[in-house]
Amino acid sequence: MAKLALRGVVKRFGEATVCDGIDLDVDAGQMVCLIGASGAGKSTLLRCINLLEPIEDGEIFLDGEDISVPGLDPHPVRARIGMVFQNFNLFPHMTAIENAMLAPRRVHSKTRVDVRGEIESLFTRFGLADRMQNYPDQLSGGQQQRVAIVRALAMRPDVMLFDEITSALDPQLVGEVLDVLLALKAEGMTMLLATHEMGFAREAADKVCFLKDGNVIEEGPPSQIFDAPQHPETQRFLARSK
Amino acid sequence: MIESLPKRILTMLKFVPITCALAFMSTSAFAAGHCAAGKTLTDGKFTVATGNPAYYPWVLDDAPESGQGFEAAVAYAVAEEMGIAAADVVWVRSSFDEAIQPGAKNFDVNMQQYSITAERDQVVDFSAPYYTAPMAVLVGPGAVDTAPTMAAIKDLKWGAVGTTTAVPKLYSVIQPGSDPLLYGDTADVSAAISANQIDAALFDLPTALFLSAVMIEGSKVIGQFSADSSENPDQFGMLMEEGSVLKACIDDALAALTESGALAAIEAQWLQDSTGVPLIK
Amino acid sequence: MTRREKYDAAQRRRSLVIAASSTALVILALIILVPMAPGWEKVQSSFFNRAVLAKSFPKLLDAFLVNVMIFAWSAPLIGLLGLLIALARDAKSPALFPLRLFGAAFTDIFRGVPVILTVYLIGFGIPGLGLPRPWNSPYIWGSLALILTYSAYVAEIFRSGIDSVHHSQRAAALSLGLSERQVMRDVVLPQAVRNVVPSQMNMLIALQKDVSLLSFIGPVEIFRQAGVFKSLLANFTPYVGAALIFLAVTIPATRYADYLMAKQKRERR
Ligand SMILES: Nc1ncnc2c1ncn2[C@@H]1O[C@H](COP(=O)(O)OP(=O)(O)OP(=O)(O)O)[C@@H](O)[C@H]1O
Ligand SMILES: [Mg+2]
């Protein structure tokens, strides 16, 4: 059974259909990459999975449980799904470690003392040990994005969603963030990424899905998608993004 | 409140006004050679300022042109004495601030129960007094049983109109136990008594009697201070521009009216007999 | 020094000299020309009278303590009520619709009525219903009038502050599993409040001045005290004295608010 499964997910903004019946499986421990042109609906799909947007039709299953039932309390579900954003979205009025401790304290009703040890070790693991007491505006983009990842991981999520987390970074900072993803993959984290980093997707992904106009046009292992794309749209997209 | 005072309340007054006894006989503007000639704001006219609104019993119905009410009657009497026809008396409205601000005035005299004080006299001119006002204590319904003694009234919660000489009197003579509250005009003091925010207020006696009779239900004038015995008796004078050339004529006119008993007659007609109000000991 | 630095320094010196000399010229003109006006002596003795100022100033200062006192207990309550109204107006759950309606009506009414009317109506009206002392005190109800009026404005400023927090902050907080209330309390509000500190400073300055409106219903604060002196001494100088005392407080406060505002602008860039 897939860790995360989407069946016929439809999302509309007024007249515009942004997700047009999307089917997608992410198995436990897999890293799946969503690629596609700007406006294809990648971010929207991730937001739907995290229940930040209600869906019009279809189902989303997390560990076999339908989390898209209308009326379901979204908060405990979101607590099980980590999400990292393109623009980091750290809370600017809190230090790095306070950012990471907020959700465990509030959602899991833990004290700072309870969670500090675990979170400090996360900071240390990702090379942020000496940055814990800094405010976001005192950190580089790469550091901020790593703090954002730590903040999501602090909730011990079942699945992590990443939405173009390197797009806002200077090229020389991209590597340090992608390294974090590789480390998480090695650990067996289930991950779904929207990305423009084709090189990284080719190297690290277990599966690549090409999205266009709210549809999964083609999916498969990176070798197939990048080296022998079947669909003409995929071919055109890859040719352009070279 | 006072502005919109309905006529029928006025009829309840004990001191029902009789038709003005003033004679509007003079026809010529100025008697030739009279001292006021050429000294007024507008030649041939005598411009008198009153409050906005003007209050009973000083002016009736806020209509000074009628000559009804104490100050209105005095104004016409003074005019007549100076040889000015009633038709040539012009009324304007003014605030206290306008009366004392530097610069040209828009009136010859201003009558609004202005007490004559040495400080004010440095800035403006006052006529000889046309009325000596005893201060009186008006109490609200909750305090009508207060004895008219200094000791008893000291402990009341006090109020007054902040722009009157009642304020220094309040502080120096009564010396209340708690800080008094001060207001912008009589209407606000009435509201405060009605709301039971203050027990007592200090007014000149005619105003106090009027308020207790008409404005504040259940209130009472429990006592008055002897006008002559207090250090500086409150005397009302007509206010004029500093250095006014008209002052001498006005003073002469007032002296003549006092001499002839006309002023006393006007007072008796418009201001209630206050002998029934006990003196505060 | 490079060529450019030398040029810039010369330019700076030049503009400094021009600014200083033109300011001096204007002040000189005022000092010389105003006293030449025909009414100057009278104006001087009735508005800028040294003896009157000396006589009234100590009592004016005393009375100003009343202003400070009323300000001191009103301001925190305004902040609290303003925040509650702002939150009520942004309440999302349908069960709280009445609260939202109330919040909207509240801000409409109290922003729409001149403060002085509110002070009169509440300051005399409610005690007139027959409350026993000390609960009918003009200090209580006058302060309430200020609190109601000002919290209507303060609430709107808080709302604009809440709106100014980027929605991605909400999304990030929600994605961690926080509830709407937790998002508001821990993430949105702290940022919103910080964003509106300069605007709220301006409200405080306005409040400091409007405390004087309570004089209409009895309290002898500085404006009333100045009025008493004015009518006793037939001189406006006490008002000038009161204005000086206000300025001594409000100018530093205004400068500080402007400084905060400028600082925030720099940080936003
Ligand atoms: N809240 C919204 N209201 C209306 N339309 C929206 C909203 N959010 C997104 N859209 C529209 O949905 C479409 C898909 O947007 P989305 O952000 O998911 O694309 P994307 O694939 O993530 O693109 P990019 O690579 O630029 O991030 C776009 O046409 C966008 O304009
Ligand atoms: Mg996107």
Side-chain angles (χ1 to χ4, degrees):
Chain A
M1 186 184 60
K3 187 88 175 167
L4 180 69
L6 277 61
R7 292 292 173 265
V9 169
V10 175
K11 173 67 196 172
R12 291 191 200 95
F13 288 113
E15 294 292 284
T17 303
V18 181
C19 298
D20 195 7
I22 289 185
D23 294 324
L24 182 70
D25 283 313
V26 184
D27 290 336
Q30 255 193 341
M31 176 191 276
V32 175
C33 286
L34 298 170
I35 61 169
S38 185
K42 306 182 294 290
S43 299
T44 305
L45 187 64
L46 295 182
R47 292 172 58 82
C48 288
I49 295 170
N50 207 10
L51 307 186
L52 290 172
E53 300 281 357
I55 58 174
E56 266 70 37
D57 201 5
E59 293 100 39
I60 302 171
F61 298 94
L62 181 61
D63 280 328
E65 177 198 347
D66 186 353
I67 58 171
S68 58
V69 182
L72 186 85
D73 180 9
H75 301 109
V77 175
R78 290 185 192 133
R80 291 163 57 196
I81 304 175
M83 183 151 178
V84 184
F85 302 84
Q86 181 173 348
N87 290 314
F88 331 137
N89 298 355
L90 290 178
F91 307 133
H93 58 296
M94 296 180 184
T95 59
I97 190 159
E98 289 291 337
N99 260 278
M101 289 195 296
L102 177 67
R105 284 170 51 218
R106 291 288 183 259
V107 181
H108 296 156
S109 313
K110 291 189 178 158
T111 65
R112 283 193 172 82
V113 180
D114 291 341
V115 294
R116 173 158 257 131
E118 182 184 337
I119 289 175
E120 279 182 357
S121 64
L122 279 172
F123 274 97
T124 310
R125 252 190 67 198
F126 297 118
L128 295 163
D130 54 346
R131 293 293 175 191
M132 289 188 291
Q133 300 304 332
N134 286 124
Y135 284 89
D137 62 5
Q138 299 166 326
L139 300 174
S140 74
Q143 288 167 340
Q144 288 190 57
Q145 195 57 296
R146 282 183 283 153
V147 172
I149 295 171
V150 167
R151 181 175 69 178
L153 290 174
M155 288 297 284
R156 301 194 191 168
D158 296 336
V159 179
M160 286 284 286
L161 309 176
F162 299 89
D163 188 4
E164 297 188 32
I165 60 170
T166 56
S167 305
L169 297 179
D170 291 340
Q172 73 271 21
L173 299 179
V174 170
E176 64 187 59
V177 173
L178 294 182
D179 286 346
V180 173
L181 296 184
L182 291 177
L184 289 177
K185 183 176 154 71
E187 221 172 76
M189 176 59 78
T190 308
M191 295 184 281
L192 179 58
L193 279 72
T195 186
H196 286 300
E197 295 287 336
M198 298 305 164
F200 178 77
R202 177 198 288 262
E203 253 174 58
D206 296 301
K207 182 161 85 177
V208 177
C209 299
F210 173 62
L211 239 67
K212 183 172 165 54
D213 297 336
N215 287 298
V216 177
I217 303 264
E218 187 171 355
E219 65 170 84
S223 53
Q224 178 200 319
I225 298 291
F226 290 113
D227 298 332
Q230 304 297 304
H231 201 284
E233 292 283 5
T234 320
Q235 293 163 0
R236 208 172 308 148
F237 171 73
L238 288 172
R240 239 184 296 129
S241 49
K242 282 233 169 77
Chain B
M1 285 166 119
I2 291 185
E3 298 93 293
S4 61
L5 196 64
K7 269 227 161 69
R8 83 190 127 75
I9 302 185
L10 274 176
T11 57
M12 293 169 14
L13 294 174
K14 286 167 272 176
F15 32 97
V16 180
I18 344 163
T19 320
C20 178
L22 278 180
F24 301 106
M25 297 180 298
S26 325
T27 43
S28 66
F30 283 104
H34 193 279
C35 81
K39 292 177 183 170
T40 55
L41 196 63
T42 314
D43 207 18
K45 305 278 185 194
F46 181 47
T47 309
V48 186
T50 184
N52 189 16
Y55 293 116
Y56 191 93
W58 313 106
V59 170
L60 251 63
D61 285 342
D62 193 22
E65 310 77 29
S66 65
Q68 310 244 331
F70 177 70
E71 284 182 347
V74 170
Y76 281 104
V78 167
E80 192 199 359
E81 192 64 37
M82 293 194 304
I84 300 170
D88 290 323
V89 175
V90 178
W91 290 92
V92 293
R93 307 285 177 158
S94 105
S95 66
F96 179 76
D97 288 10
E98 287 170 292
I100 61 166
Q101 79 193 7
K105 305 280 187 277
N106 66 341
F107 51 79
D108 290 315
V109 297
N110 195 327
M111 296 178 81
Q112 298 184 48
Q113 307 103 60
Y114 287 137
S115 301
I116 303 169
T117 69
E119 287 94 348
R120 290 175 177 179
D121 207 16
Q122 288 172 3
V123 183
V124 289
D125 270 357
F126 283 105
S127 69
Y130 57 86
Y131 180 66
T132 298
M135 282 283 171
V137 176
L138 175 72
V139 295
V144 286
D145 296 328
T146 311
T149 64
M150 281 302 228
I153 62 175
K154 209 180 170 68
D155 293 332
L156 297 174
K157 183 75 190 164
W158 278 91
V161 175
T163 53
T164 64
T165 46
V167 177
K169 197 144 290 176
L170 186 55
Y171 282 112
S172 64
V173 178
I174 300 174
Q175 300 178 350
S178 62
D179 284 341
L181 296 173
L182 301 181
Y183 302 87
D185 62 14
T186 14
D188 288 352
V189 182
S190 308
I193 294 179
S194 300
N196 192 31
Q197 289 172 321
I198 52 176
D199 297 313
L202 198 60
F203 289 107
D204 60 72
L205 185 56
T207 301
L209 287 171
F210 162 65
L211 291 176
S212 87
V214 180
M215 296 303 298
I216 311 163
E217 207 173 314
S219 66
K220 185 182 167 191
V221 181
I222 58 163
Q224 60 175 311
F225 291 93
S226 159
D228 306 318
S229 72
S230 51
E231 307 167 12
N232 49 347
D234 237 30
Q235 295 189 310
F236 295 169
M238 296 182 182
L239 184 151
M240 286 162 280
E241 192 180 350
E242 173 73 1
S244 167
V245 287
L246 200 60
K247 177 172 157 55
C249 308
I250 302 271
D251 285 350
D252 286 348
L254 280 169
L257 289 171
T258 311
E259 189 82 2
S260 67
L263 193 59
I266 295 173
E267 186 178 320
Q269 184 189 350
W270 295 110
L271 301 183
Q272 192 192 4
D273 176 22
S274 53
T275 48
V277 179
L279 285 179
I280 289 173
K281 292 184 274 289
Chain C
M1 259 210 270
T2 67
R3 242 168 17 153
R4 164 60 61 181
E5 280 166 351
K6 270 185 201 148
Y7 175 78
D8 284 349
Q11 284 290 310
R12 262 198 308 278
R13 263 198 308 278
R14 216 175 88 94
S15 25
L16 207 71
V17 168
I18 292 177
S21 47
S22 67
T23 309
L25 224 78
V26 168
I27 292 176
L28 209 69
L30 284 175
I31 292 176
I32 294 173
L33 291 180
V34 169
M36 278 165 66
W40 168 245
E41 253 174 42
K42 276 187 179 172
V43 169
Q44 187 184 24
S45 76
S46 79
F47 285 91
F48 306 101
N49 190 317
R50 214 170 281 227
V52 171
L53 188 66
K55 188 167 175 180
S56 57
F57 202 76
K59 273 201 145 174
L60 289 178
L61 268 182
D62 273 356
F64 190 64
L65 284 184
V66 175
N67 294 63
V68 171
M69 211 168 61
I70 295 169
F71 175 85
W73 67 57
S74 297
L77 292 172
I78 287 167
L80 194 68
L81 185 60
L83 193 57
L84 289 178
I85 296 290
L87 292 177
R89 289 203 69 179
D90 284 339
K92 298 224 167 50
S93 129
L96 298 181
F97 180 73
L99 207 62
R100 238 166 66 207
L101 201 68
F102 169 80
F106 183 94
T107 42
D108 280 358
I109 290 173
F110 286 104
R111 286 195 307 165
V113 179
V115 196
I116 181 63
L117 282 186
T118 313
V119 168
Y120 256 113
L121 292 178
I122 294 181
F124 279 147
I126 294 183
L129 298 177
L131 289 170
R133 245 176 256 171
W135 303 112
N136 66 357
S137 156
Y139 286 93
I140 296 179
W141 298 101
S143 302
L144 182 72
L146 289 180
I147 290 168
L148 293 176
T149 305
Y150 270 81
S151 48
Y153 286 98
V154 163
E156 288 305 286
I157 295 176
F158 275 134
R159 280 184 74 204
S160 76
I162 290 171
D163 284 347
S164 76
V165 176
H166 200 267
H167 56 81
S168 63
Q169 285 283 313
R170 254 178 59 80
L174 283 174
S175 80
L176 289 166
L178 265 58
S179 69
E180 296 281 351
R181 270 186 56 179
Q182 291 166 336
V183 171
M184 185 52 89
R185 194 187 64 186
D186 292 319
V187 177
V188 177
L189 268 189
Q191 298 184 55
V193 169
R194 228 170 44 167
N195 288 349
V196 298
V197 162
S199 317
Q200 302 290 34
M201 277 291 294
N202 284 328
M203 290 311 291
L204 286 182
I205 293 164
L207 172 68
Q208 177 62 63
K209 293 183 290 177
D210 274 355
V211 163
S212 270
L213 294 176
L214 260 61
S215 67
F216 284 83
I217 57 169
V220 186
E221 50 64 69
I222 187 167
F223 176 70
R224 172 65 70 211
Q225 186 63 59
V228 168
F229 277 122
K230 171 210 68 184
S231 46
L232 289 184
L233 307 176
N235 196 294
F236 293 102
T237 308
Y239 282 148
V240 175
L244 288 178
I245 292 174
F246 271 114
L247 288 177
V249 173
T250 49
I251 287 186
T254 315
R255 291 285 111 229
Y256 184 61
D258 284 357
Y259 161 78
L260 287 180
M261 200 90 89
K263 194 174 134 202
Q264 204 167 69
K265 228 183 201 161
R266 276 200 306 277
E267 281 168 1
R268 287 254 170 82
R269 244 186 254 146

